[in-house]
Amino acid sequence: MKDDKGRGLFRITSMGYETEDAYVLGAVAVDGQGDRVSARKYYRIKIQDTDMPVEPVIGQIWKVTAKATTTTDVVRGGAQLIDVFIKAKSVRLIIPETENLFTHFVSKEPHFVGIGETLARKLWIKYQTEVYEHLENKNVEKLMFVRGVTEVAAEALISGWERYENLKQIAWFDKHKIPSGIARNIIKHHKANAIHAIEEDPYRLISFGLKFAQADLLAQEHFGVALHDYIRLRGAVEQALLMRMNEGHTVSKNENLMPHVESLLGTKEQAAQALMAGYENTAFIMSDKGYYHSVGQWIMEQTVARRFSKLAKRAIWTHHYDYALGKALEGQAFPLTDRQNDAVRSALSHGLSIIAGGAGTGKTTVLNVVLRAYQALGTDIRAMALSGRAAKRINEATGYPAQTITGFLKDLENNPLGERALIVIDESSMVDLATMFSLVSNTSSQVRFLLVGDPKQLAPISAGLVLHEAVDVVPTVTLDIVKRQKGSTGIPEFTKRIIERVVPDSDMFNENIVFHSCASEDINSLVTDLYAENATETQVISAMYGGNGGIDAINSLCQQRYNPQGQRLEFVINGTANYLDIRENDPIIFVENNWDRGVQNGTLGKLLNVGKPTAETEDREVSLADVLIDTGEMIPLTVDLLDSIKLAYSISLHKAQGSQFKRIIVPLTNSSMLDNAWIYTALTRAEVKIEMVGSMRDFERAILRLSDADTRDTYLRQLLLDELESDIAPENCIQTDFHLLATNG
């Protein structure tokens, strides 16, 4: 039953589908007795993984608070029905406290094996809510007091109930106003000791995402922690290290860390005391040269460095590789350059290698040959990238299946790697330390890695550096002959100067590289005018969302100028007509992965046929419009995709990274986000024409401004050098690891 505040009880009726970070569940609304409220309404509820206290199962009853609700009238089987899509703000599994709810819960929940409706009802009549105490205490004898409940049935009940052992703990975290996502992660880590762990040290909550101020308030109000208690001082140090991590760093020096600790504790004396206490009690690790490492970052960098160094030390070439390379080169349209040939051989002969190079230097050509060679060797090839769109591009460019790194890790248990396996990561400059740690921690030491990317491009969003730190330390071949842009454009030479931190000379500007000087307040209107000159081949790439040159303002102005009469996307929410300010023929971008629907985070498209869609869904779901996506496919815009589309006249560089466009327009401001890597990455998105808008002084500042990667404090490169220079003998090269069957030799 739903109330006017967007809360309601729902029984799960189908598992729907999963995205990479959420479940979409089919459900019906029920009342407090578990009876369905309306036969005309059916619900789909989107719940983030981090908000799930337990794994969802058909038959469970959930209390859902809605963040957004979209209602659409549909006709199915000749009946007028209502499709309700709920984006959940919070969810809680309801433990039944009525006879009907309990009976339905136990008889329908598949983990209560062999317990039918009759036995479930008898149990409730006998014990009411006391039944949960007997289940918790594993009291078989008490359960068997009910006629018909055998020992086998009692044990099945107890076994099924064990799946819900964390519910009492979740109730405790709810009472203390600790977010459900944080509570779930704490319980997952500490299991049955979760509550005790927080009572012992409430500042542990910081490691799971709670801010120091919130943990500090909880600690003082509920657990009597004094201002000078060691656990409080240590908590402040942990928060300071996390703040540094959120800035991209994995290590700190005293001058970096002290200001953060002082701002949390209020005095320099307490901050100094906290750092001393943290050192004495190993709240952090001190390495050579006075570096502070959080324990987690230290472990991750050490683990990645050790795996990378062991793989990099493996170097082997046998006649099998000659055969495989020969097979891979069959049908190659153009001969490889010497550097490309070196890259292929490095990728085949080393357990870890890097193919580096800027846009258009032939990385994809090399990757295609490498993958064909490994296929000839009988290797289990897993291609992937950090973003969904980048993963899709691997498939488009090579023909090999690809997925996101998150998707690969999630699917690893059901689809384990073969004995001989290769992990290929494209756009690897975007991969952060934690992601690479997850990959090496969840795969065998025999698995080979091939990293493909450009270390001159943007650093990862999250902490650490991987490609930037490993390039030229582990086996690396850098491709440097640009093939994508025609030489006449001047773009390769222009962007090469930017990499060198040299402002291009005025004679390097031409009809393909144009600078439009204007005042900051005129940027948005000028960009809009330029966009209208050739809208079909143009993409605006902006550094910020707000202000002059910002994504939001440019999107709005371009829509008003280029598509003012397009039909608006309209739908119904809670019985009230509503809309998104996106119109037919507007360019759009998807900002979430939804592989089942054929889109990824970063997929670009055009909105078509608003109110009269032609594309059909497999399950005949209601569609509001069509989207012609950048692969040429037409897909239906279903209700569940509404919260993942945005206007795309202008997009962020992170969304554009890895893509190319005929013509780009780049607004320039004096934002610190516009550094050398940002400018280089943005301009290399252009195949034919670049138009920059703003102040030449801001352009020069950006070229000379150190890139984010250059200012991050990390330790992986040093650890790699130490490992590679150590006296530890490399693991024996396994000549049969990538052998060919005799019949192929």
Side-chain angles (χ1 to χ4, degrees):
M1 181 173 62
K2 292 183 83 273
D3 65 21
D4 58 1
K5 295 181 180 178
R7 291 191 295 264
L9 297 180
F10 298 89
R11 181 188 302 122
I12 305 304
T13 57
S14 69
M15 294 307 296
Y17 58 90
E18 288 184 58
T19 67
E20 288 193 349
D21 60 356
Y23 289 85
V24 178
L25 307 174
V28 295
V30 297
D31 60 21
Q33 298 299 315
D35 296 323
R36 186 170 181 177
V37 173
S38 171
R40 290 190 62 230
K41 291 185 178 181
Y42 61 95
Y43 296 81
R44 283 171 298 134
I45 306 171
K46 184 175 183 179
I47 307 170
Q48 295 298 121
D49 280 349
T50 51
D51 292 333
M52 281 285 195
V54 297
E55 185 177 344
V57 173
I58 292 172
Q60 291 173 342
I61 304 245
W62 290 80
K63 184 175 183 180
V64 178
T65 301
K67 180 179 182 181
T69 304
T70 304
T71 304
T72 309
D73 293 327
V74 298
V75 178
R76 289 188 180 172
Q80 292 279 345
L81 301 175
I82 300 173
D83 178 317
V84 184
F85 185 81
I86 296 174
K87 188 174 183 182
K89 180 180 180 181
S90 63
V91 296
R92 183 162 62 89
L93 178 64
I94 297 298
I95 295 302
E97 295 185 352
T98 68
E99 180 179 334
N100 284 348
L101 284 178
F102 179 81
T103 300
H104 195 281
F105 175 64
V106 173
S107 61
K108 299 299 182 184
E109 160 66 78
H111 295 92
F112 294 109
V113 180
I115 308 298
E117 188 173 329
T118 300
L119 282 183
R121 197 172 295 279
K122 285 182 177 180
L123 278 164
W124 185 264
I125 291 171
K126 173 71 174 175
Y127 290 119
Q128 304 288 308
T129 56
E130 189 183 345
V131 70
Y132 297 123
E133 182 179 335
H134 300 322
L135 291 171
E136 191 74 27
N137 294 331
K138 298 180 172 55
N139 195 329
V140 173
E141 291 183 0
K142 282 283 189 182
L143 296 173
M144 288 175 63
F145 281 173
V146 175
R147 179 172 295 183
V149 178
T150 65
E151 183 176 357
V152 171
E155 289 177 348
L157 275 165
I158 291 167
S159 177
W161 180 249
E162 286 177 349
R163 287 180 47 79
Y164 302 100
E165 63 183 355
N166 64 353
L167 292 178
K168 290 202 302 187
Q169 295 189 95
I170 286 174
W172 185 90
F173 284 105
D174 281 346
K175 179 182 176 182
H176 289 85
K177 298 180 181 180
I178 296 167
S180 58
I182 292 175
R184 184 188 181 194
N185 289 333
I186 293 168
I187 293 168
K188 185 177 180 181
H189 183 76
H190 289 287
K191 299 184 171 56
N193 295 320
I195 293 175
H196 174 72
I198 300 308
E199 288 175 332
E200 182 180 68
D201 181 0
Y203 296 94
R204 284 189 172 121
L205 290 163
I206 293 170
S207 299
F208 294 92
L210 205 67
K211 298 295 185 185
F212 176 82
Q214 297 169 284
D216 202 29
L217 184 65
L218 183 73
Q220 293 181 51
E221 286 189 352
H222 292 278
F223 303 111
V225 175
L227 295 180
H228 293 279
D229 277 1
Y230 160 68
I231 59 170
R232 181 172 185 266
L233 300 179
R234 184 180 64 185
V237 174
E238 289 177 357
Q239 178 71 69
L241 288 167
L242 279 172
M243 291 164 74
R244 288 277 294 164
M245 185 185 75
N246 291 334
E247 294 168 357
H249 310 292
T250 60
V251 297
S252 301
K253 286 202 167 186
N254 186 274
E255 58 265 29
N256 309 130
L257 206 57
M258 178 65 83
H260 289 303
V261 181
E262 185 179 345
S263 70
L264 293 170
L265 295 176
T267 68
K268 185 171 290 187
E269 292 72 23
Q270 273 204 321
Q273 185 182 353
L275 289 175
M276 180 60 70
Y279 175 72
E280 292 173 349
N281 293 274
T282 64
F284 52 80
I285 291 169
M286 287 285 289
S287 64
D288 295 342
K289 302 176 184 177
Y291 282 113
Y292 295 80
H293 303 254
S294 71
V295 175
Q297 299 293 308
W298 173 257
I299 290 172
M300 285 193 283
E301 287 191 318
Q302 286 272 7
T303 302
V304 172
R306 286 169 182 164
R307 174 67 66 82
F308 274 19
S309 65
K310 288 178 180 178
L311 289 171
K313 288 176 182 177
R314 295 182 191 170
I316 184 172
W317 191 276
T318 72
H319 69 280
H320 300 307
Y321 292 88
D322 289 316
Y323 170 83
L325 182 54
K327 293 288 289 182
L329 292 172
E330 289 178 2
Q332 179 74 14
F334 301 100
L336 299 178
T337 66
D338 289 344
R339 188 66 65 88
Q340 288 176 325
N341 188 61
D342 290 343
V344 171
R345 288 180 168 271
S346 177
L348 289 173
S349 61
H350 292 97
L352 166 70
S353 63
I354 293 174
I355 301 172
T361 55
K363 297 191 297 293
T364 301
T365 298
V366 171
L367 182 58
N368 269 300
V369 175
V370 170
L371 294 184
R372 291 198 296 268
Y374 270 112
Q375 187 175 48
L377 289 165
T379 308
D380 181 2
I381 299 170
R382 302 295 179 91
M384 63 195 71
L386 190 67
S387 73
R389 186 65 192 100
K392 185 73 176 289
R393 283 193 297 271
I394 301 173
N395 174 251
E396 294 165 357
T398 69
Y400 286 85
Q403 59 191 142
T404 63
I405 296 174
T406 301
F408 164 76
L409 291 168
K410 198 171 186 178
D411 192 42
L412 196 52
E413 185 175 344
N414 296 323
N415 188 16
L417 289 166
E419 184 179 347
R420 300 181 299 276
L422 169 72
I423 287 176
V424 179
I425 306 175
D426 198 17
E427 297 294 339
S428 56
S429 64
M430 300 169 70
V431 176
D432 56 74
L433 175 63
T435 300
M436 185 55 70
F437 172 76
S438 293
L439 281 170
V440 301
S441 299
N442 287 281
T443 56
S444 160
S445 61
Q446 304 301 315
V447 173
R448 294 186 171 204
F449 279 79
L450 173 60
L451 309 184
V452 183
D454 184 356
K456 301 296 184 183
Q457 292 193 18
L458 296 180
I461 294 175
S462 298
L465 298 170
V466 177
L467 182 72
H468 300 74
E469 295 284 83
V471 73
D472 293 329
V473 176
V474 303
T476 301
V477 177
T478 299
L479 306 175
D480 56 4
I481 299 176
V482 178
K483 294 178 176 292
R484 178 175 293 127
Q485 302 103 336
K486 295 179 181 178
S488 59
T489 66
I491 293 174
E493 297 81 7
F494 192 87
T495 53
K496 184 175 184 294
R497 297 298 296 274
I498 290 173
I499 292 174
E500 296 166 349
R501 288 193 168 82
V502 175
V503 177
D505 298 329
S506 58
D507 60 6
M508 297 189 75
F509 291 90
N510 55 42
E511 61 181 5
N512 296 298
I513 307 171
V514 183
F515 198 100
H516 303 271
S517 293
C518 71
S520 178
E521 60 269 22
D522 297 328
I523 289 176
N524 292 347
S525 60
L526 183 50
V527 167
T528 304
D529 291 342
L530 290 169
Y531 182 90
E533 291 177 5
N534 185 5
T536 57
E537 293 187 345
T538 301
Q539 181 62 62
V540 182
I541 299 174
S542 301
M544 303 169 295
Y545 279 86
N548 297 314
I551 292 170
D552 294 336
I554 290 173
N555 274 329
S556 178
L557 288 170
C558 282
Q559 185 191 57
Q560 293 171 29
R561 172 74 176 272
Y562 180 69
N563 190 28
Q565 302 302 320
Q567 184 173 339
R568 194 169 62 183
L569 184 60
E570 299 179 348
F571 45 91
V572 176
I573 293 182
N574 294 333
T576 303
N578 213 312
Y579 66 91
L580 288 180
D581 200 10
I582 300 177
R583 302 172 182 270
E584 189 170 310
N585 292 318
D586 276 338
I588 63 169
I589 186 169
F590 290 88
V591 295
E592 294 180 5
N593 290 322
N594 196 320
W595 292 87
D596 289 339
R597 304 293 180 184
V599 297
Q600 299 78 42
N601 185 358
T603 294
L604 291 162
K606 178 183 281 190
L607 189 68
L608 300 173
N609 306 324
V610 172
K612 46 185 185 300
T614 59
E616 294 185 2
T617 63
E618 291 184 8
D619 47 7
R620 303 185 66 182
E621 284 191 53
V622 64
S623 175
L624 303 175
D626 294 329
V627 181
L628 180 63
I629 61 175
D630 51 8
T631 60
E633 302 169 78
M634 187 80 81
I635 66 166
L637 182 66
T638 49
V639 174
D640 54 304
L641 292 176
L642 285 176
D643 63 345
S644 68
I645 61 170
K646 307 285 184 187
L647 282 174
Y649 293 94
S650 178
I651 62 176
S652 72
L653 182 54
H654 277 104
K655 290 290 190 290
Q657 191 168 358
S659 295
Q660 284 76 47
F661 309 95
K662 292 288 186 185
R663 174 183 183 239
I664 64 165
I665 300 174
V666 181
L668 298 170
T669 64
N670 192 25
S671 166
S672 60
M673 289 186 64
L674 271 72
D675 59 24
N676 185 272
W678 195 97
I679 289 292
Y680 166 72
T681 307
L683 299 190
T684 52
R685 301 311 91 206
E687 292 180 328
V688 177
K689 188 162 188 175
I690 295 168
E691 304 214 37
M692 290 173 277
V693 180
S695 158
M696 180 60 74
R697 180 60 181 147
D698 288 340
F699 178 53
E700 293 171 354
R701 284 194 187 107
I703 292 172
L704 300 175
R705 188 176 284 131
L706 288 175
S707 300
D708 182 19
D710 296 323
T711 58
R712 286 194 183 187
D713 297 324
T714 61
Y715 211 65
L716 180 59
R717 179 176 287 261
Q718 186 59 53
L719 291 171
L720 274 170
L721 290 169
D722 292 345
E723 289 286 338
L724 289 167
E725 292 171 4
S726 70
D727 294 329
I728 300 174
E731 293 185 5
N732 293 329
C733 296
I734 306 174
Q735 298 202 17
T736 59
D737 194 23
F738 288 84
H739 71 282
L740 289 172
L741 296 175
T743 53
N744 290 335

